[in-house]
């Protein structure tokens, strides 16, 4: 006799907030909530609906439903009282009853549901008590914050006083320097006049009673007191105004791209930071593939590059020893300055002239390979999509299978949706999903495909449409190993033959991977 879950869902069954009070998997609760809209009939005044296993108690709130999922043996009168209390709690935390506002207040709603329901049973609380408990006001916390703020204000006042004292000291020092310069100039003039007069009045045998003064400039211009620092044009001064203007455009609903964030994103896309190892080897491979929706491979192309980057000329006398398999069907090409005989016979990448160093600073491509085939065994990830129409709706079943001997990371499968379709109803999925409104597609995401999940499936429902509406499917993934079995075994000094410390990076990325 417990409440299994409390949730806020859209009329299409998408869960915006869901709090489970018993052990329940994510797939099960998503399935229960996705099936709820189908059970609600239009024009009925009931506030509950039952299935074989559970009972739904619901309350419409604007374009959404507040739903309690209980077992059939639960006391429906108590559950209705719990539903009414939850219905009063939701507007306390959501200003506008819209999907975006509910998503922003998701955590507040979860905490509020926990105050209303404990271990599946209703707590004897009111809306004001729920509000008070979730806010968790503390007199000690307020006092601590006031003390911290007062210390911050005192520090700011002290900094202002120190700055004023330093500025005043500078001004007085400048004035004193100017005054001393003027006095020394007057002393120089007085000394010159006194010496001239004494020389004219003295007798021939009488020795002069003065000592000659060192020569000083007749007049020194006193130093001017410092004036305010003159500032020229400041190019960055209008950044705040420009930022305010962009914020106003965003508030009016205009699509504005943040230039600083875009620049940061562009810098992030340019690649990883430069290597710090004295010798660094980067292995990069790209796969372009077109799979047939009825099975088979239309075209598959693999292109790879191995580049060598050396920091200083002292470390530039090296040879790279490779290891790998037979790699049938691959075409390999080396740099013109690489010793082709050494590569063919010993699988070693070295310069034709051993006394000549490799270029330093920038990466140098030393080996390239390419494979073009229609062999399904080369394809690391295959996709099968089965759309079918039933009762005015299209049921789309899609599955993936990985035959690669290595793990795939950050896998995204983008399934296009028919024109005019809204957020799809996802009945089952292995992984995560989201609806990309801009591209009008469902994005199926799997963070990692390894030996535990080499296969997976998903099912979603949209309004009836032709099967071709769900193609072409775009696939993206990455890996830290390459399809071509080429790897670095060691790096040796070309003069002594001793091992050299080196770093390496291997990456596989997709470049046009489609199912058509």
């Amino acid at each position: 006799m417990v409440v299994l879950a409390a949730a806020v869902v859209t009329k299409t069954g998408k869960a915006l907030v869901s709090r489970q009070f018993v052990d329940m998997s994510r797939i099960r609760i998503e399935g229960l909530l996705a099936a709820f809209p189908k059970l609600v009939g239009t024009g009925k005044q009931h506030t509950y609906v039952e299935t074989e296993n559970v009972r739904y108690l619901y309350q419409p709130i604007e374009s959404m439903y507040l739903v309690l999922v209980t077992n059939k043996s639960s006391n429906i009168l108590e559950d209705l009282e719990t539903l009414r209390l939850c219905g009063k709690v939701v507007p306390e935390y959501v200003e506008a009853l819209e999907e975006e506002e509910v998503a922003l207040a998701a955590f507040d709603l979860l905490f509020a549901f926990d105050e209303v329901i404990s271990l599946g049973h209703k707590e004897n609380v009111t809306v004001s008590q729920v509000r008070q408990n979730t806010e968790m006001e503390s007199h000690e916390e307020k006092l601590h914050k006031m003390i911290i703020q007062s210390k911050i204000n005192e520090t700011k006042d002290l900094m202002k006083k120190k700055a004023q004292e330093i500025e005043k000291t500078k001004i007085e020092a400048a004035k004193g320097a100017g005054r001393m310069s003027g006095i020394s100039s007057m002393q120089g003039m007085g000394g010159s006049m006194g010496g001239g007069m004494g020389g004219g009045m003295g007798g021939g045998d009488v020795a002069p009673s003065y000592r000659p003064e060192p020569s000083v400039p007749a007049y020194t211009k006193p130093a001017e007191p410092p004036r305010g620092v003159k500032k020229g044009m400041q190019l960055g001064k209008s950044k705040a105004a420009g930022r305010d203007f962009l914020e106003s455009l965003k508030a009016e609903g205009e699509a504005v791209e943040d230039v600083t964030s875009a620049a940061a994103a562009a810098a992030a896309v340019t690649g990883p930071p430069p290597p710090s190892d004295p010798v660094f080897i980067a292995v990069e491979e790209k796969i372009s593939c077109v799979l047939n929706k009825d099975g088979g491979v239309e075209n598959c192309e693999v292109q790879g590059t191995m580049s060598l980057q050396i920091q200083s000329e002292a470390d530039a006398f090296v040879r790279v020893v490779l290891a790998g398999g037979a790699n049938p069907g691959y075409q390999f090409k080396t740099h013109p300055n690489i010793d082709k005989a050494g590569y063919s016979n010993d699988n070693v990448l070295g310069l034709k002239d051993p006394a000549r160093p490799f270029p330093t600073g920038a990466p140098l491509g030393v080996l390239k390979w390419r494979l073009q085939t229609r062999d399904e065994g080369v394809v690391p990830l295959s996709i099968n999509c089965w759309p079918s129409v039933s009762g005015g709706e299209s049921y789309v079943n899609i599955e993936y299978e990985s035959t690669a001997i290595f793990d795939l990371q950050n896998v995204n499968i983008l399934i296009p949706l028919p024109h005019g379709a809204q957020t799809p109803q996802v009945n089952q999925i292995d992984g995560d999903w989201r609806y990309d409104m801009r591209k009008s597609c469902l994005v199926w995401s799997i963070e990692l495909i390894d030996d535990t999940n080499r296969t997976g499936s998903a099912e979603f429902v949209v309004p009836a449409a032709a099967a071709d509406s769900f193609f072409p499917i775009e696939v993206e993934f990455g890996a830290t190993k390459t399809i071509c079995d080429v790897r670095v075994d060691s790096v040796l000094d070309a003069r002594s033959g001793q091992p050299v410390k080196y770093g390496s990076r291997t990456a596989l990325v997709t470049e046009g991977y489609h199912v058509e």
Side-chain angles (χ1 to χ4, degrees), residues 269-349:
V269 171
T270 54
S276 58
D277 299 285
V279 179
F280 189 81
I281 302 172
V283 180
E284 298 178 354
E285 193 173 67
K286 298 178 180 179
I287 178 171
S288 304
C289 192
V290 178
L291 305 177
N292 195 320
K293 61 183 178 181
D294 297 324
V297 180
E298 292 290 336
N299 183 38
C300 182
E301 184 176 19
V302 179
Q303 292 184 345
T305 304
M306 180 180 292
S307 57
L308 177 66
Q309 183 173 356
I310 300 175
Q311 300 298 331
S312 63
E313 189 172 346
D315 303 313
F317 299 89
V318 295
R319 294 186 302 166
V320 181
V321 181
L322 303 180
N327 298 315
Y330 283 87
Q331 299 176 0
F332 292 87
K333 290 185 179 180
T334 59
H335 190 277
N337 292 334
I338 295 295
D339 184 10
K340 291 181 173 55
Y343 171 71
S344 301
N345 299 330
D346 303 326
N347 222 15
V348 174
L349 295 174

Side-chain angles (χ1 to χ4, degrees), residues 195-236:
M197 292 174 66
M201 294 175 64
D205 296 334
V206 180
S209 60
Y210 67 92
R211 301 178 65 182
E213 296 286 339
S215 60
V216 295
Y219 174 72
T220 303
K221 183 179 179 181
E224 295 181 0
R227 299 177 181 177
V229 180
K230 296 182 179 180
K231 297 183 179 180
M233 183 185 297
Q234 296 182 356
L235 298 179

